Amino acid sequence: GTCPLSEIRVTTVSDTAGTGPVTLTKQHAPKVWCDLDGTGTIAFDGSFNCASATDNATGDYTIAYTNSMSDTHYSLTGAASNRRVVVIISKGTANSNLYSQDHNDSTNEADADPFCIQICGDLA
């Protein structure tokens, strides 16, 4: 036979009190992600839990989180256009400083579009 619960449609998944949405605090899902246009005047093309992006220098960005991470022991992965690699300069609970580097030249930072990161870990 067929399963009678083959489709679930909801507007909001509420917390147990019914007062708000479920908070992703201890689930294993990305807590921060962004697709940043890191060229010219930088801007998010898409993001989740990102408060702002700062252009520190060529290919050097700071991504601030809307909701902080519980500690700095989270997993951060990144990718950038034109065969560039994403290098972690520092990871904080409220932001990360990263840069886009040409994979053939460790001294050549370069702006990237897209410049993408994803973070998994626990929110504060």
Side-chain angles (χ1 to χ4, degrees), residues 12-52:
T12 303
V13 177
S14 296
D15 58 16
T16 55
T19 57
V22 173
T23 303
L24 292 175
T25 55
K26 298 295 180 191
Q27 298 178 27
H28 299 286
K31 302 304 188 307
V32 176
W33 68 262
C34 75
D35 176 345
L36 179 72
D37 179 344
T39 62
T41 301
I42 67 171
F44 293 117
D45 289 330
S47 68
F48 174 73
N49 196 23
C50 293
S52 64

Side-chain angles (χ1 to χ4, degrees), residues 38-40 42 55 57-61 81-82 84 100 109-113:
T39 62
I42 67 171
D55 189 352
T58 301
D60 182 340
Y61 314 106
S81 63
N82 298 324
R84 294 184 179 107
S100 169
E109 290 80 26
D111 288 342
D113 179 22

